[in-house]
Amino acid sequence: MNGILKKLLTWVVLPVIIVVLCYTVVRSIMEPVEFNKEKDFREGIAIQRLKDIRTLQVAYKSENGRYASSIDSLKDFYKQGEMTVLMQIGSMDDSVAVAHTEAVQKANRKLTNRDLYQRYLAGDSKLVFSIENKIPVRDTLFNGRNDFRVDDLGTIPFSEGKPIMMESTIKTVSGVPVPLFEAKIPYRYLLTGLDDQLRINLDASRKDQNKYEGLQVGSITAPNNNAGNWE
């Protein structure tokens, strides 16, 4: 009986224990690797979303003198707003066009660039000037970006619908009012569904380094040129 038990332990139980131990060791090595691989993938998508928010905020400020206070305001700005762009008509390297433009302006010194633009639209293609023009935001920003969907702008990817946290303010710096904004995506939402302990460890590591536990663009505490904490 002891011989049978010994053989059973040697040929059945021991190999099973070895397999389980090997699997445990491999998993302990692979889990962080897989976690970081998925984290990097999700971060790439989240960073692009924060960059899109920054692009819209910069355009919004150029038109309104301040940053939008909510994602909904940015969405409305993209869908219905207009922005000022500088249009360059003709080239200063075209000496014939430059001479023609000077002759037109000399003949009527009250002509504005807006008047020149009307002449250009009427068919006078030999004009050189620049003019500010209003065009729809949606016709200017993110053209050719198949992955841009404005209705997803305020949602944290992979979070089951959690909202991106965004604030704006005007802070006095050296006696000067400075518009500021920030947008944040916490890891606890971005990494939903991944190993929770590894995510907790990541947050703790970031906190120990006095870094935000997630992704952030801009800052409402101090001007940082709207930098992202991944840059």
Side-chain angles (χ1 to χ4, degrees):
M1 184 67 179
N2 288 338
I4 295 175
L5 183 59
K6 184 177 180 180
K7 289 181 179 179
L8 183 64
L9 289 172
T10 302
W11 299 105
V12 178
V13 177
L14 188 57
V16 170
I17 293 174
I18 293 173
V19 169
V20 170
L21 287 174
C22 289
Y23 176 80
T24 302
V25 170
V26 170
R27 287 307 302 164
S28 68
I29 296 172
M30 291 306 299
E31 280 180 356
V33 172
E34 293 170 356
F35 176 87
N36 286 326
K37 182 178 180 180
E38 181 65 17
K39 177 182 76 73
D40 292 345
F41 171 72
R42 295 189 183 191
E43 278 186 332
I45 295 173
I47 286 171
Q48 184 60 62
R49 192 154 299 178
L50 290 178
K51 285 181 177 179
D52 292 344
I53 288 175
R54 177 170 61 188
T55 297
L56 277 171
Q57 281 283 34
V58 170
Y60 186 96
K61 176 177 173 287
S62 71
E63 295 300 316
N64 298 281
R66 57 182 175 81
Y67 291 113
S69 59
S70 70
I71 296 290
D72 285 341
S73 296
L74 285 182
K75 289 180 181 180
D76 290 341
F77 177 65
Y78 176 79
K79 292 177 180 179
Q80 304 175 30
E82 293 182 325
M83 58 187 297
T84 303
V85 297
L86 183 65
M87 297 177 59
Q88 177 64 44
I89 306 297
S91 171
M92 293 299 295
D93 294 332
D94 187 339
S95 58
V96 174
V98 170
H100 172 67
T101 303
E102 290 174 349
V104 170
Q105 291 174 318
K106 187 175 181 179
N108 189 342
R109 297 186 180 277
K110 293 183 179 181
L111 278 180
T112 65
N113 280 3
R114 181 64 58 183
D115 296 325
L116 290 175
Y117 185 57
Q118 293 303 317
R119 289 178 66 103
Y120 174 78
L121 293 177
D124 190 346
S125 60
K126 288 295 183 180
L127 290 171
V128 179
F129 62 95
S130 60
I131 184 172
E132 288 187 344
N133 207 9
K134 292 278 191 180
I135 61 175
V137 175
R138 66 187 309 151
D139 292 344
T140 307
L141 299 181
F142 312 120
N143 283 341
R145 277 273 308 281
N146 295 327
D147 63 329
F148 178 76
R149 293 175 179 80
V150 69
D151 290 330
D152 294 337
L153 191 67
T155 303
I156 297 174
F158 310 101
S159 71
E160 300 177 353
K162 295 291 191 302
I164 291 174
M165 298 179 290
M166 191 181 80
E167 297 181 70
S168 69
T169 188
I170 296 179
K171 188 179 183 70
T172 301
V173 180
S174 300
V176 179
V178 179
L180 301 171
F181 91 95
E182 68 181 25
K184 294 180 175 181
I185 295 179
Y187 280 137
R188 68 180 181 273
Y189 296 144
L190 178 63
L191 304 181
T192 295
L194 301 187
D195 188 288
D196 200 45
Q197 188 57 57
L198 290 175
R199 195 271 307 162
I200 291 173
N201 294 345
L202 173 63
D203 283 352
S205 174
R206 301 279 295 185
K207 198 169 184 178
D208 289 343
Q209 300 173 55
N210 293 318
K211 295 180 179 179
Y212 174 62
E213 303 96 276
L215 300 171
Q216 176 178 343
V217 64
S219 171
I220 60 170
T221 58
N224 70 349
N225 200 30
N226 299 331
N229 66 350
W230 62 87
E231 295 174 316

